[in-house]
Amino acid sequence: TLDLLNPDAMKYYMKLAYEDTWVRFKDEFGKTIVSVWVDEPHFIPPDLPWTEKLPEQFQKMWGYNIQEKVELLFIDKDDYRTVRYHYWRTILHMLKKSYFEVVSKWCREHNLKFSGHLMGEDTFERQVGFTCSVMPLYKYMDIPGIDHLTNSMEWPNYQAKFLMTPLQCVSAAYQAGKKDILCEMYGVSTQSITFERQKYIFDYFASLGITRRCVHGIFYSLKGQRKRFYA
């Protein structure tokens, strides 16, 4: 598991995953290859993110020792709300500095656009555990994006229209002056999804401000008995 908060780990990751892998195609950067896509960088809840330099950064930002208050990340007593707020603000700061600024800078230096989507973006509660908060991170992407799973336009747990996720991304993108906003679509939709339904899903997101479609899975034909649902 990559420590997204550790600059040294990120330095090695950038060498391994970007320099050693992609620079061989540098003559096609900005032409055939126009963008780097990242898929769901995130922490692993319910585990709380931690890194070696967290206490030092926390002390610098808030003026006290997080290690003396660490139990308040788990126990509701005393000033636990303040400590947790400071903790997650520190994590967000380190995530931006260590991961998002680094990948964004590499893309600019190589004439590539930085795009992708995050994990746990569907509700505010899920965002905290996976990425702290998605909206402050979208500004680092040239093409900020979201993910839409299933064939339904309703959030499955609440029977509510799938609105908050795209509107958060669109709002943050507009505020940061981004022109392109992307949605990964049709994942986990089964082979029974029709072309009409595919168009409806994209039209729905386009009406909310999404301008680009990233196809997770799309089928040029609905025929064939190897498909779960076939015609």
Side-chain angles (χ1 to χ4, degrees):
T1 301
L2 174 65
D3 184 354
L4 299 173
L5 308 177
N6 187 326
D8 293 330
M10 276 301 302
K11 183 177 180 179
Y12 179 72
Y13 168 77
M14 293 302 294
K15 178 184 183 302
L16 191 68
Y18 285 72
E19 292 290 341
D20 294 350
T21 302
W22 293 109
V23 169
R24 73 187 72 178
F25 305 112
K26 63 182 179 180
D27 292 341
E28 296 300 320
F29 287 176
K31 297 182 293 184
T32 307
I33 304 171
V34 298
S35 175
V36 163
W37 168 271
V38 298
D39 193 53
E40 302 176 352
H42 64 279
F43 308 124
I44 308 175
D47 297 340
L48 295 181
W50 194 272
T51 192
E52 182 181 5
K53 295 183 179 179
L54 175 60
E56 177 184 347
Q57 183 62 47
F58 190 96
Q59 180 79 39
K60 180 179 179 181
M61 292 178 66
W62 309 109
Y64 64 96
N65 188 346
I66 180 60
Q67 291 172 304
E68 296 176 355
K69 300 270 191 174
V70 73
E71 67 172 335
L72 300 184
L73 299 177
F74 305 92
I75 301 174
D76 295 355
K77 70 175 187 178
D78 301 332
D79 57 344
Y80 75 93
R81 289 187 175 88
T82 299
V83 172
R84 292 178 194 179
Y85 172 75
H86 289 164
Y87 167 80
W88 286 111
R89 284 294 301 270
T90 307
I91 294 295
L92 180 62
H93 173 81
M94 298 183 76
L95 179 62
K96 290 191 291 186
K97 291 292 183 182
S98 180
Y99 182 86
F100 282 89
E101 288 187 6
V102 169
V103 177
S104 179
K105 181 175 181 290
W106 190 91
C107 288
R108 289 197 304 272
E109 291 174 347
H110 292 84
N111 194 28
L112 293 168
K113 294 182 178 181
F114 178 22
S115 184
H117 78 87
L118 305 172
M119 184 72 170
E121 58 203 359
D122 308 295
T123 68
F124 289 123
E125 181 181 3
R126 282 168 56 82
Q127 286 177 32
V128 173
F130 282 105
T131 59
C132 301
S133 178
V134 297
M135 293 185 73
L137 304 175
Y138 287 137
K139 68 180 180 181
Y140 296 100
M141 293 181 169
D142 300 295
I143 311 175
I146 62 170
D147 190 18
H148 174 250
L149 297 174
T150 82
N151 190 11
S152 172
M153 301 313 302
E154 295 181 349
W155 181 244
N157 292 333
Y158 302 104
Q159 297 302 307
K161 282 293 183 182
F162 192 80
L163 285 170
M164 190 182 78
T165 305
L167 290 179
Q168 281 188 86
C169 187
V170 169
S171 176
Y174 284 170
Q175 292 177 61
K178 311 295 182 181
K179 295 181 180 180
D180 289 322
I181 309 158
L182 178 149
C183 180
E184 181 181 359
M185 301 179 186
Y186 313 137
V188 202
S189 59
T190 81
Q191 291 90 342
S192 65
I193 186 171
T194 64
F195 300 125
E196 180 182 24
R197 185 63 179 176
Q198 292 170 18
K199 181 179 184 299
Y200 171 81
I201 291 173
F202 179 73
D203 288 347
Y204 176 90
F205 284 111
S207 71
L208 298 176
I210 299 294
T211 63
R212 296 285 182 178
R213 178 178 62 165
C214 174
V215 177
H216 174 101
I218 193 170
F219 312 101
Y220 67 89
S221 171
L222 300 181
K223 295 183 180 297
Q225 294 187 16
R226 295 190 65 183
K227 297 180 173 63
R228 182 177 178 184
F229 302 98
Y230 61 91

